[in-house]
Amino acid sequence: MKPLLASLLATAVALALGTAAPGLLAADAQPWMDKAKTSAQRTELLLKAMTLDEKLLLLFGYASGDQLAQVDASIIPGVNAKEVAAKVIPGSAGYIPGIPRLGIPAQFQADASIGVRNPYLERTSLPSSLATAASWDPKVPEAGGRMIGNEARLSGFNVMLAGGVNLAREAQNGRNFEYTGEDPLLAAEMAAALIRGVQSNHIISTIKHYLINAQETGRTLVSAQISEPALRQSDALAFELAIEKSSPGSVMCSYNRINDVYACQNDKWQNQVLKGDWGYKGYVMSDWGAVHSTVQDANGGLDQQSGFPFDKVPYFAKPLRDAVDDGSVTQARIDDMARRILWAMFDKGVVDHPLQPGTIDYAAHAQVTQAAAEQSLVLLKNEGGVLPLVAPKRVALIGSYADKAVLSGGGSAVVTPIGGNAVPGLGPGGWLTQVWQPSSPMKALQKLLPATQFAFDAGTDADAAGKAAAAADVAIVFVHQWTAESLDAPSLSLEGNQDAIVAAAAKANPNTIVVVESGGAVLMPWASDVKGILAAFYPGSAGGEAIARLLTGAVNPSGRLPITFPASVDQLVRQQITGKSGGPLFTVRYTEGAAVGYKWFDLHGHKPLYAFGHGLSYTRFELGGLTAQASGAVSFSIRNTGQRDGASVGQVYVRGPQSAKWEAPRRLVGFSKLALKPGQSGKATINIDPRLLATFDETRREWVIAPGTYEVQLGASSDDIRATVKVALTGRRFTSAQLRR
Ligand code: BGC
């Protein structure tokens, strides 16, 4: 960053934080500052001391200063928007003023899930959330979340817009890379771990985008049409489980409509389900520009409007005050909105731990992101032991700027790389500029294999790629698919002539390996013609190093796919994304219900290219010792029968009886990753959450487990089951609330 800009920014942060200082009055004058009291008690005490205008102040958020400077100064009585604008950290997602008289700090919001996002701040980037989900080890996103939260706090942010957990229902969804896969249990475990890590820094994390925001095309126009049981058993279940496992301070409601009602004013899903059935105590903040009214949204369960002027109307500013005056929104509801925000601020430590910008330990964080990538990248194919590379004489690297960089996904999640964008000028531009992390796979490989000669070919011309491949002992072709927020992938095929480049290399060199940098699943028409395939997703700031260490065997691959890679698009529920952006309102009928991803493939007997849960290792594992109790306890063991240290994931699926009427034959009910030395074996025990065995009865708002015989399966992937046992269940009904007791 330029020194002048850096110092301006530091000043802006310091000024802004000045208003965030905690109350200095003695605890008896401000009894809510007494840390011995519970968050709920402190919140009630503080609420009593607040005026209506102060409560309203908490309910309305501002976007970054340059946008705000345009705004009419009188949108909130007594608040000058231009003065507020001066306090927003430049380039940040949002800001909510504090109330110094009461010791309430300002809220400084930033995006989030893979690192601190700000166009003016260079920060560490984790691999994409889909990549870290591929670790199948919650410790990985949890460590990543701790790192992000630490950088956030030291950068002056106390609310992180993280925790994307929407299921990968559409393979082409441009934001699949921001989410944690296609299965509700895996997605919930991984997103929850990230949120716990972020919040361990005494800051708030969101979970988002609530609910069923499954495509980017026309995201503000689409109505997701789906039955309640199907939603409860799929996308909503991912939120329900993740919220229980991580207690995020805030839930971000999404742009789309759910069964015709906008998510942010959806009484059913916000008031009845989230705050009612699930007992959620935190606050709902809107996505940026997702609010459509004052009264309907406030009464429909939205607690805080975000990022004005993204919504053209300041619904939760003066119009909300007017709605209170005319009785269309009650004072009790305003109290509830403020209560939820204050509770989160106390409970997550925002009030007690004032922000203090400081120096970030980038060297330590580079190790965190590299370790995350090393545990997450998935070895899809390894024929004839082409990998790991054993001191080849000549290696040709082809395509995707592999001499310089690795790709990031685009949109509000992209993190400005330390050292700047390694390949500037690509993509649609502006906030949708393609960002390439300056982490060179080629340089990293050169370090690890000093005796090998490396040649790089840009991969733009098939003949040249073929020649480069022919002149080497091993050809490694890097292919990429850039996806971004607000755009869905136009198709699952790689852009341009990349398939032809791979084909040319494969034809010229029998030892061809492909490294795929993508937002999610892509088609691989060349899969049977190459010997090795590594799914690198978007591997983060140290992605080049991680790729090199996996290819050379310095690290043994242990990632497993969190999504299905289809063999062709006609295996998908919908072959194309429905609707368009900028047109009229439209509907997508999710007729597959809860049969998302591998469940759909199982139901229809489709054989994918690479199944959910698939991933190879340089060693071998034996899975066995499967036992299961009617209580839901399942144990199994894994033995490393190969020659190298390695880690494997035991995946437990259950096949329900016909009478249970599940959406698909099988569901993932648990998993455990074990790191084992050669010859070593380890045992794991998991407890099945009863909701994973149930269907949802909409009329009685209860979960129902049907009596019958259930088959418990131990798999190395969803299509590689190694052992089964049967368990008889007597059947049972219960509510989500009963499970929390
Ligand atoms: C995205 C959110 C993000 C927000 C603030 C929106 O465009 O959908 O995920 O947190 O912007 O940047």
Side-chain angles (χ1 to χ4, degrees):
M1 199 191 318
K2 304 217 166 45
L4 177 62
L5 184 57
S7 91
L8 280 175
L9 200 54
T11 315
V13 172
L15 275 174
L17 293 179
T19 64
L24 297 174
L25 298 181
D28 46 352
Q30 295 194 330
W32 55 87
M33 287 300 179
D34 178 1
K35 293 182 194 163
K37 296 194 163 67
T38 65
S39 303
Q41 290 167 335
R42 297 174 72 180
T43 302
E44 292 311 317
L45 288 165
L46 178 50
L47 267 179
K48 277 196 202 121
M50 291 173 81
T51 65
L52 175 63
D53 283 339
E54 284 171 336
K55 290 172 192 164
L56 287 166
L57 206 60
L58 295 178
L59 314 184
F60 186 67
Y62 302 83
S64 130
D66 37 351
Q67 279 160 292
L68 206 52
Q70 324 293 326
V71 161
D72 171 5
S74 63
I75 54 168
I76 293 197
V79 176
N80 183 318
K82 293 193 173 52
E83 280 172 22
V84 174
K87 295 188 178 131
V88 186
I89 297 176
S92 70
Y95 170 78
I96 292 98
I99 306 174
R101 142 183 125 78
L102 300 169
I104 304 176
Q107 296 163 56
F108 295 89
Q109 301 166 320
D111 284 292
S113 293
I114 55 164
V116 176
R117 185 273 186 300
N118 185 309
Y120 307 120
L121 302 175
E122 297 180 356
R123 293 292 180 264
T124 310
S125 170
L126 281 185
S128 65
S129 301
L130 188 71
T132 43
S135 69
W136 287 63
D137 181 355
K139 291 196 287 304
V140 173
E142 188 155 356
R146 275 199 298 276
M147 175 208 89
I148 296 169
N150 173 267
E151 292 201 4
R153 165 163 277 283
L154 294 172
S155 308
F157 297 106
N158 53 13
V159 179
M160 292 304 278
L161 313 176
V165 75
N166 299 71
L167 294 188
R169 203 173 255 282
E170 302 283 9
Q172 281 165 253
N173 178 358
R175 288 187 101 169
N176 281 343
F177 75 93
E178 288 192 57
Y179 303 139
T180 45
E182 68 189 27
D183 176 81
L185 174 65
L186 180 68
E189 290 283 4
M190 296 299 152
L194 181 105
I195 293 166
R196 286 196 301 270
V198 170
Q199 291 195 154
S200 69
N201 292 276
H202 310 299
I203 63 182
I204 288 171
S205 173
T206 61
I207 186 167
K208 66 188 185 182
H209 307 87
Y210 189 71
L211 181 66
I212 192 154
N213 180 183
Q215 65 175 53
E216 289 301 287
T217 304
R219 61 183 178 172
T220 58
L221 306 168
V222 61
S223 176
Q225 227 70 22
I226 186 166
S227 76
E228 176 171 356
L231 193 44
R232 291 265 199 173
Q233 292 163 211
S234 58
D235 301 63
L237 184 57
F239 275 91
E240 181 176 2
L241 296 174
I243 288 169
E244 279 175 22
K245 289 168 198 290
S246 63
S247 181
S250 183
V251 170
M252 186 190 290
C253 55
S254 54
Y255 287 120
N256 55 292
R257 294 173 293 145
I258 310 163
N259 295 326
D260 296 326
V261 181
Y262 280 110
C264 293
Q265 52 183 228
N266 203 300
D267 173 69
K268 164 86 199 177
W269 291 98
Q270 296 186 144
N271 289 332
Q272 296 177 39
V273 178
L274 172 69
K275 295 176 179 176
D277 294 353
W278 302 348
Y280 181 64
K281 288 206 188 71
Y283 62 105
V284 177
M285 73 164 75
S286 66
D287 201 341
W288 271 233
V291 186
H292 294 271
S293 88
T294 300
V295 176
Q296 274 169 281
D297 285 64
N299 292 338
L302 176 66
D303 301 304
Q304 187 182 66
Q305 179 178 10
S306 309
F308 184 76
F310 270 80
D311 292 301
K312 301 279 173 288
V313 184
Y315 294 108
F316 276 23
K318 189 166 177 310
L320 186 54
R321 170 87 219 214
D322 295 344
V324 176
D325 289 344
D326 72 20
S328 46
V329 175
T330 63
Q331 291 251 12
R333 174 66 187 124
I334 299 294
D335 281 351
D336 178 47
M337 295 158 92
R339 175 182 293 118
R340 289 172 172 282
I341 297 167
L342 293 171
W343 176 83
M345 292 176 81
F346 281 120
D347 201 63
K348 307 309 158 199
V350 167
V351 177
D352 296 335
H353 300 267
L355 290 170
Q356 239 160 21
T359 311
I360 293 170
D361 187 346
Y362 290 112
H365 291 180
Q367 285 177 18
V368 175
T369 183
Q370 183 172 326
E374 288 174 359
Q375 291 172 75
S376 303
L377 274 39
V378 184
L379 182 62
L380 296 176
K381 179 169 183 182
N382 189 17
E383 198 179 292
V386 70
L387 289 170
L389 300 172
V390 185
K393 277 211 184 84
R394 292 159 310 167
V395 172
L397 296 186
I398 300 170
S400 300
Y401 312 99
D403 55 335
K404 318 197 215 324
V406 290
L407 186 56
S408 301
S412 63
V414 74
V415 173
T416 308
I418 299 166
N421 188 352
V423 190
L426 300 177
W431 78 303
L432 290 179
T433 297
Q434 271 184 28
V435 171
W436 292 79
Q437 294 283 341
S439 171
S440 157
M442 174 146 135
K443 282 194 192 130
L445 280 166
Q446 281 168 329
K447 252 195 218 153
L448 290 165
L449 300 173
T452 301
Q453 277 175 27
F454 286 89
F456 179 70
D457 175 84
T460 46
D461 174 81
D463 287 343
K467 275 190 198 128
D473 305 304
V474 177
I476 309 178
V477 188
F478 286 73
V479 295
H480 68 272
Q481 177 220 45
W482 180 73
T483 59
E485 177 186 345
S486 79
L487 307 167
D488 290 313
S491 100
L492 293 187
S493 295
L494 296 172
E495 220 179 276
N497 62 348
Q498 296 185 88
D499 285 337
I501 300 288
V502 178
K507 201 166 161 211
N509 190 322
N511 294 321
T512 294
I513 294 154
V514 181
V515 176
V516 185
E517 295 170 47
S518 71
V522 293
L523 295 175
M524 303 182 183
W526 32 258
S528 57
D529 304 328
V530 300
K531 282 209 176 134
I533 306 175
L534 180 71
F537 304 102
Y538 301 135
S541 328
E545 284 77 9
I547 289 170
R549 279 163 56 84
L550 288 161
L551 292 176
T552 55
V555 173
N556 194 347
S558 66
R560 302 287 184 266
L561 286 181
I563 47 167
T564 304
F565 274 52
S568 64
V569 286
D570 41 79
Q571 295 181 328
L572 302 173
V573 184
R574 284 164 292 279
Q575 278 137 49
Q576 269 179 343
I577 292 283
T578 316
K580 54 179 186 179
S581 302
L585 296 179
F586 64 96
T587 292
V588 181
R589 287 183 199 288
Y590 294 108
T591 49
E592 73 280 19
V596 177
Y598 67 92
K599 293 173 181 167
W600 173 261
F601 278 67
D602 274 356
L603 193 60
H604 294 275
H606 294 321
K607 193 175 163 24
L609 180 61
Y610 294 112
F612 174 81
H614 170 74
L616 303 174
S617 165
Y618 297 144
T619 184
R620 287 183 309 279
F621 299 99
E622 208 173 80
L623 278 68
L626 178 65
T627 63
Q629 321 293 326
S631 66
V634 175
S635 16
F636 61 86
S637 58
I638 306 181
R639 174 184 290 278
N640 181 346
T641 56
Q643 307 299 318
R644 287 171 177 260
D645 290 9
S648 180
V649 181
Q651 303 168 29
V652 181
Y653 297 86
V654 169
R655 179 178 279 274
Q658 285 283 330
S659 58
K661 299 206 170 69
W662 284 6
E663 66 281 355
R666 290 172 325 134
R667 295 170 172 175
L668 179 75
V669 297
F671 56 91
S672 185
K673 187 172 192 175
L674 300 180
L676 299 164
K677 304 222 163 292
Q680 193 189 359
S681 72
K683 192 175 162 187
T685 300
I686 57 139
N687 284 300
I688 304 176
D689 187 296
R691 284 164 289 200
L692 298 171
L693 301 174
T695 51
F696 193 78
D697 174 347
E698 175 178 7
T699 323
R700 290 173 57 178
R701 289 168 90 162
E702 283 174 345
W703 294 97
V704 185
I705 299 182
T709 303
Y710 289 72
E711 185 179 86
V712 180
Q713 309 177 328
L714 174 63
S717 75
S718 64
D719 72 350
D720 182 6
I721 302 301
R722 304 279 178 89
T724 62
V725 291
K726 294 216 159 73
V727 184
L729 299 182
T730 46
R732 125 182 208 219
R733 285 182 164 266
F734 56 91
T735 62
S736 293
Q738 283 163 349
L739 292 179
R740 289 196 303 278
R741 274 177 220 140

